[in-house]
Amino acid sequence: MKLSFSPEDEQFREEVASWLAENLRGEFEPIRFRGGPGDEHSFVEERKAWEQKLAEGGWTCIGWPKQYGGRGASIEQQVIFNEEYARAGGPGRIGHIGETLTGPTLIAFGSEAQKERYLPGIRAGKEFWCQGYSEPSAGSDLANVKSKARFDEASGKWILNGQKVWTSLAHESQYCFVIARTDPESKAHKGLGFFLVAMDQPGVTVRPIEQLTGTSEFNEVFFDDAECAADDIVGEPGEGWKVAMGLLGFERGVSTLGQQMLFQNELDEIVRVAKANGAAEDPALRQRIAEAHIGLRIMRFNSMRMLSGGEDGSLQKEAMIYKLYWSSWHRNLGKLAMDVLGAESEIVPEAPYELGRLQSMYLFTRADTIYGGTNQIQRNIIAERALGMPREPRG
Amino acid sequence: MEFRFTDEQVMIRDTAEAFLKEVSTSEAVREAMTTERGYDEALWQQISQEMMWPALHIPEEFGGLGLGFVELAATLEQMGRTLLCAPFLSTVGFGVNALLVAGSQEQKQAYLGQIAEGKTATLAFMAPGSRPDARAVQATCAADGDGFVLNGEYRYVLDGHTADILIVAAREAGSEGENGISLFVLPADTAGVRREWLPTMDQTRKQASVVLQDVKVPADALMGEAGQAWPALTKILDLATVAVAAEQVGVAQESLDSSVAYTMERVQFGRTIASYQAIKHKAADMMLKLEAGRSAAYYAACVADEALAGNPLGEGLAEAASIAKAYCSEAAFFNAGCGIQLHGGVGITSEYDIQLYFKRAKSSETLLGDAAWHRERLARQLLDGDAA
C-alpha cells in the first residue's frame, strides 16, 4: 500500500490546477461552486459555455482513449482531475452524462459509424445527453420497461412510444439514450433495445417535475411516435439490457472523489456556521460534526480502495457499499446542517422560495437515498451478491 | 497511489489466516481464556519463533523482519478474527511501538532483540479510574542518585501480570497535564514492582494492576528526555490505537460471517431466515460498517508506517488513528451486537462464540478511548483550532 502520488501525477495535478486558476474566472466566476446536485437548474447557458472552454483546453473526456479525442488518462490522473476540479469550484458538469456514460458505452459497444457521429460532439462540449431508463412502472424494477420501439419498414426508422421519468437535464440535452422493448411480447430484461434518440423532434415532449426544493432537476419525457434512425440502436435488438448494464459499470469510480470535494465544501460551510453561532460548543453537535468528518474521510479511503482495484479483479465489496454509504452519510449531513443552523434554518433567504444552499442541500439529500438504486435495493444487492444470501423472489 | 495490499502483503495475510484457523480454534480460545495467564506458552513460542510475528515491524538491525505497519495490521486483523489469546497487542502494539518511538539506540538494542526472541512487554500509564489522556499519568518519578525512583499504581495494563518487560509513564511530583511526564523501560522483575491479575468481562484479553513501590531504576531506564515524554507517549498510544482498530476489523468480520452462516442454516416458517429481507438488510448494514472500518484501519496503518519512518504524511497519525478507532469501535460493536440478534436465542448462550466477540468488541472499544472520546478529540481539531 502506498498513499502518495508519483511525481508525474503531482506534476499533472499542477497542470490541472493552474489551467483552472487561469480559466475559471472572469465571465465564469459566477458559476464557481454552482450547478451541483440540487442546483442543476442554475446558470445553464454559462455552464454550457464552460463545457466548450474545458473542451478547448483538452479537459473533457480525459479518460477516453486518445483515438477518440481523450487523453487516455490513468485512473490516478482522472482522480486528480476530479479533485482539482472540485477544489477550484468547477461548476456541475452538464456534459457528464455524455462523457461518463454515453461515450464509454459507444466505445465499448457502438459501431464505428456511431462513434464517428456522436463522440466528437461530446468531446467538444457541444452536444449534451440525458438518460432514458426509469419509467413510472420501472423504478427499482428497472427491467420492467414498458416503452416500445417498433421498426418501421416503410420509413426505415425505429418508432418509439412510451414515457420516461426522473430524466435529469432532459430539456438541456440534444440526445437521450433510451432502453425500450424491441420485442413487444418480451418480459423483464429480455427483448430490450438501446437507442440513441434526438430530443429535438415532434415526437418528444419534456415536462419538468417540480421537487420539494421548488426547483426542477428532473423531468418526464414522453415519446409519441418519436423517430430514431435504423442505425441508432447500440448492439442488436434484444441486447439492450446487456449494453445498459455494461454502462452502469462505467458509472463507478473516478467521479466519486470529485463528489466528495463538494461534500467537503458543504461540511466546511457547516463548520463555519457552527463556529459563528456557538453550535460548536454544544457537545452533542460536536459529536455529530466529528462523525460527519470521520464519515467523509472514510468515504475517500473507500474510493481509494475502489480505484486501486481488487486483489483479484473480482467485484469489490467496497464498490458495492459505496452508494449506500454516501447517500446515508449525505442525508445525515443535511439534517446536521439544519440542526447547526438552529432557528435560522427555517428562514428562507428570498421569497417566494429561494432556499439557501444548506437548506436546498438538506431537502435534496432526501433524493440521494432513492435515485440510482434506493438504500433498500442497495441492501438487497449487498446481501445477495456480496454475502451470498438468498435472492428475492422475482415476478 | 496504490491503496491495496501488495502480493507480499496478501501472502502475509493469508499465512496468518491459515495458521490462526489451525491454532486459535474455539476450543483453544476457551481453554486459554479461563487461565489466569491467558495464553498458551507453547503457542506463544511458536508465534514468536516460527511465525516471527513479534519481530514483524522491528527493524532488521535490532533482530526484526523490518516489515511495515500494514503487514502488522493485516496480521492483527486475523488475530481479532479468531480472538487469538496471546500477549501480542501488549507486546507489539504497545511495547515495540514504545521502544521504536521513544527508545534510545541502546534500549532498542537491548529490548527489541529480546522481544523478537519471544519475551513479552506492555505499557502501563493509566491510574485507576482515569481516561486515556495526560491526566491518566499519575505515578511519580524522582531523581535518585544516578537513577530514578518510581511510585504509583496503574490499572488496565494489558497482560501486565505476565509481561517480561514494562514500559511505564510517570510524572514529576507537582507537574500537571502534558508537562513533566517521563517514560521508563524496566524488567518486570525489578524490586518493588507488584503485579496482580484483574479478572475481566472479556476473558480473551487479560488486564492487570501494576503497583510501583520505591522502584529504583538506573539512569538508562529513562526513554528520551526527562519530563518531555508526552508527545512520544501520544504517538505510541496512536500507534497502539491503530493496532486495536485493525483487530476490531477482524472482530467485525467474524461477527458478520458467523451470523450470516447461521442464518443460512436456521429454518423458520419453512425457509432459511437468511431469505428474509429483515435479516438481509441487517447483514448488509453490518457489511457496510465492516468495509468502511477496513478502509479506515488500512489507511491508518499506512499513515502509521509513514509516521514511524518520520515522513510528512505521518503527521496525520493522530487524525487517522482517531478516525479508525472511532469508526472501527462502533463497527465491531454493531456487528457483534447485531450478530447476537441474528443468532436468536442461541446467541446469548455460552456455547456459541458470538458472545465472545460481543465481549471482545466492548473491551476493545473501551481500550484507548471509545468512539465518543475520539470524536471529541477530532472535534477539538475541527472546531477549536487545537492540534489533536
Side-chain angles (χ1 to χ4, degrees):
Chain A
M1 288 194 178
K2 192 159 77 48
L3 295 181
S4 51
F5 287 94
S6 70
E8 294 75 27
D9 285 343
E10 290 300 344
Q11 198 181 335
F12 178 79
R13 186 186 292 281
E14 295 273 305
E15 193 189 339
V16 175
S18 65
W19 188 88
L20 287 167
E22 279 162 33
N23 291 279
L24 187 54
R25 53 194 282 190
E27 61 180 307
F28 296 116
E29 187 62 40
I31 64 171
R32 289 183 66 221
F33 295 105
R34 298 304 302 264
D39 192 35
E40 287 268 24
H41 57 289
S42 298
F43 297 101
V44 170
E45 287 314 311
E46 294 85 344
R47 281 159 59 210
K48 284 184 173 178
W50 170 246
E51 290 288 331
Q52 292 183 31
K53 186 82 180 176
L54 277 175
E56 285 164 20
W59 296 112
T60 54
C61 310
I62 62 168
W64 290 10
K66 285 184 178 155
Q67 66 185 110
Y68 300 117
R71 289 176 178 242
S74 67
I75 293 281
E76 276 90 352
Q77 289 179 339
Q78 294 177 60
V79 166
I80 288 168
F81 176 79
N82 277 284
E83 284 192 335
E84 291 307 315
Y85 186 84
R87 198 194 311 273
R93 294 284 312 278
I94 289 189
H96 78 275
I97 296 176
E99 173 170 332
T100 62
L101 300 179
T102 315
T105 301
L106 291 181
I107 290 168
F109 300 104
S111 66
E112 284 313 308
Q114 286 165 344
K115 292 177 196 172
E116 274 172 36
R117 167 66 193 85
Y118 293 111
L119 295 181
I122 298 171
R123 164 65 182 79
K126 289 180 177 167
E127 291 181 352
F128 304 109
W129 287 75
C130 57
Q131 179 184 38
Y133 276 10
S134 297
E135 296 185 4
S137 61
S140 294
D141 185 7
L142 183 59
N144 193 33
V145 162
K146 301 267 193 258
S147 291
K148 290 186 170 51
R150 169 177 64 83
F151 191 69
D152 181 45
E153 299 289 349
S155 62
K157 289 180 173 174
W158 288 96
I159 308 296
L160 273 68
N161 280 285
Q163 181 194 347
K164 295 291 173 182
V165 71
W166 309 121
T167 314
S168 312
L169 295 169
H171 51 303
E172 304 296 347
S173 303
Q174 287 96 328
Y175 298 98
C176 184
F177 53 85
V178 174
I179 45 174
R181 228 159 259 296
T182 49
D183 174 0
E185 305 302 317
S186 65
K187 282 202 170 127
H189 56 275
K190 296 192 176 90
L192 296 168
F194 190 102
F195 296 93
L196 310 172
V197 183
M199 295 295 281
D200 184 17
Q201 58 167 308
V204 177
T205 310
V206 175
R207 197 155 68 198
I209 300 170
E210 186 180 313
Q211 295 134 211
L212 75 175
T213 46
T215 59
S216 302
E217 270 81 22
F218 300 121
N219 302 276
E220 296 175 290
V221 178
F222 299 88
F223 300 110
D224 300 295
D225 288 336
E227 295 180 348
C228 162
D231 55 3
D232 276 336
I233 180 169
V234 181
E236 296 296 318
E239 289 185 343
W241 188 252
K242 186 184 88 180
V243 176
M245 289 301 105
L247 181 153
L248 286 182
F250 301 130
E251 212 165 358
R252 200 193 76 195
V254 292
S255 63
T256 59
L257 288 158
Q259 177 196 39
Q260 288 164 30
M261 288 287 170
L262 295 174
F263 291 167
Q264 183 67 56
N265 205 267
E266 291 165 354
L267 179 56
D268 290 346
E269 177 69 19
I270 292 167
V271 167
R272 265 195 300 279
V273 172
K275 282 179 170 175
N277 73 3
E281 288 152 39
D282 180 312
L285 288 172
R286 289 170 72 82
Q287 284 285 312
R288 288 171 58 196
I289 291 169
E291 189 173 18
H293 173 76
I294 291 167
L296 184 54
R297 293 286 289 154
I298 293 179
M299 204 186 300
R300 181 178 155 84
F301 309 154
N302 283 339
S303 298
M304 288 164 61
R305 270 176 76 195
M306 202 153 85
L307 294 168
S308 295
E311 282 154 18
D312 52 6
S314 62
L315 188 52
Q316 304 161 66
K317 291 176 176 179
E318 59 273 18
M320 282 195 231
I321 65 164
Y322 194 78
K323 170 77 204 311
L324 177 60
Y325 185 93
W326 79 253
S327 64
S328 306
W329 179 88
H330 203 213
R331 177 199 57 202
N332 293 348
L333 187 78
K335 182 164 189 308
L336 173 62
M338 295 305 99
D339 296 345
V340 164
L341 277 165
E344 198 61 31
S345 68
E346 267 306 309
I347 311 302
V348 171
E350 256 183 86
Y353 204 64
E354 287 292 316
L355 297 170
R357 181 181 174 211
L358 292 180
Q359 292 170 324
S360 177
M361 186 270 284
Y362 161 63
L363 291 176
F364 200 75
T365 53
R366 291 285 149 172
D368 292 341
T369 53
I370 298 167
Y371 68 73
T374 64
N375 280 12
Q376 286 65 38
I377 287 291
Q378 298 299 332
R379 289 189 179 96
N380 280 353
I381 291 173
I382 293 168
E384 293 171 12
R385 295 194 202 158
L387 297 174
M389 298 171 88
R391 286 182 169 262
E392 288 302 304
R394 282 163 209 275
Chain B
M1 186 203 60
E2 194 69 18
F3 193 42
R4 62 168 175 179
F5 284 163
T6 61
D7 291 346
E8 195 191 0
Q9 287 164 345
V10 170
M11 203 182 74
I12 288 168
R13 196 251 338 254
D14 290 349
T15 306
E17 184 181 13
F19 177 75
L20 290 168
K21 207 171 164 185
E22 203 64 30
V23 301
S24 188
T25 59
S26 176
E27 295 72 34
V29 168
R30 285 163 186 264
E31 193 173 330
M33 77 183 194
T34 43
T35 64
E36 182 176 318
R37 161 179 288 274
Y39 65 96
D40 175 31
E41 178 65 27
L43 175 58
W44 178 251
Q45 289 311 317
Q46 204 182 350
I47 283 173
S48 44
Q49 306 306 320
E50 287 174 30
M51 307 309 289
M52 296 188 279
W53 285 342
L56 209 68
H57 81 307
I58 295 176
E60 283 165 302
E61 58 171 315
F62 303 116
L65 297 178
L67 296 170
F69 215 99
V70 175
E71 288 82 353
L72 179 62
T75 307
L76 279 158
E77 181 185 333
Q78 297 307 320
M79 292 177 176
R81 200 170 152 203
T82 56
L83 297 182
L84 173 70
C85 292
F88 188 84
L89 183 70
S90 50
T91 300
V92 178
F94 287 86
V96 171
N97 283 325
L99 286 159
L100 289 176
V101 169
S104 66
Q105 193 71 8
E106 292 73 25
Q107 286 163 339
K108 288 179 187 170
Q109 209 79 55
Y111 291 105
L112 288 175
Q114 290 182 30
I115 289 173
E117 281 161 18
K119 294 282 186 203
T120 63
T122 194
L123 172 75
F125 75 104
M126 289 178 76
S130 64
R131 289 162 68 76
D133 53 29
R135 285 168 298 180
V137 181
Q138 288 171 24
T140 59
C141 56
D144 178 64
D146 286 343
F148 299 88
V149 60
L150 310 175
N151 277 288
E153 180 185 356
Y154 305 93
R155 236 167 127 84
Y156 329 115
V157 185
L158 295 191
D159 301 307
H161 57 310
T162 56
D164 301 310
I165 301 157
L166 293 181
I167 292 149
V168 302
R171 61 168 66 249
E172 290 161 18
S175 69
E176 272 183 22
E178 298 171 4
N179 299 315
I181 295 174
S182 301
L183 284 170
F184 300 90
V185 55
L186 55 145
D189 57 7
T190 305
V193 176
R194 200 171 74 240
R195 308 183 295 158
E196 195 180 338
W197 168 62
L198 299 171
T200 43
M201 190 158 63
D202 166 21
Q203 294 172 289
T204 65
R205 174 144 286 152
K206 299 302 177 188
Q207 298 188 27
S209 78
V210 173
V211 177
L212 307 180
Q213 196 168 11
D214 293 327
V215 173
K216 294 182 192 307
V217 294
D220 64 7
L222 176 69
M223 302 171 83
E225 264 183 78
Q228 308 292 318
W230 177 246
L233 181 55
T234 304
K235 189 170 175 181
I236 294 161
L237 296 179
D238 281 331
L239 292 169
T241 297
V242 177
V244 176
E247 256 194 13
Q248 288 171 323
V249 173
V251 172
Q253 175 84 63
E254 184 56 26
S255 297
L256 172 62
D257 290 349
S258 65
S259 301
V260 168
Y262 180 79
T263 64
M264 302 273 271
E265 283 171 11
R266 172 73 175 166
V267 174
Q268 287 288 274
F269 304 105
R271 45 198 268 211
T272 64
I273 62 171
S275 67
Y276 294 105
Q277 277 196 345
I279 303 290
K280 285 161 69 175
H281 285 194
K282 183 69 82 186
D285 286 338
M286 291 162 75
M287 198 188 102
L288 181 140
K289 300 247 184 220
L290 166 66
E291 291 303 325
R294 189 190 305 283
S295 296
Y298 290 174
Y299 181 86
C302 290
V303 176
D305 247 347
E306 304 279 351
L308 280 172
N311 294 335
L313 275 170
E315 285 161 23
L317 177 64
E319 192 204 12
S322 279
I323 287 172
K325 186 61 167 52
Y327 198 92
C328 293
S329 290
E330 292 197 335
F333 184 79
F334 179 84
N335 283 14
C338 291
I340 288 184
Q341 185 68 24
L342 293 187
H343 274 78
V346 302
I348 56 148
T349 64
S350 67
E351 182 189 344
Y352 279 73
D353 285 345
I354 188 69
Q355 54 106 357
L356 299 178
Y357 287 84
F358 181 70
K359 290 170 182 170
R360 171 64 80 83
K362 192 64 195 171
S363 80
S364 56
E365 181 180 13
T366 309
L367 183 61
L368 293 175
D370 61 14
W373 190 88
H374 283 281
R375 281 195 293 263
E376 173 55 26
R377 190 179 184 220
L378 290 163
R380 284 198 297 276
Q381 199 180 8
L382 284 169
L383 299 169
D384 309 340
D386 281 13

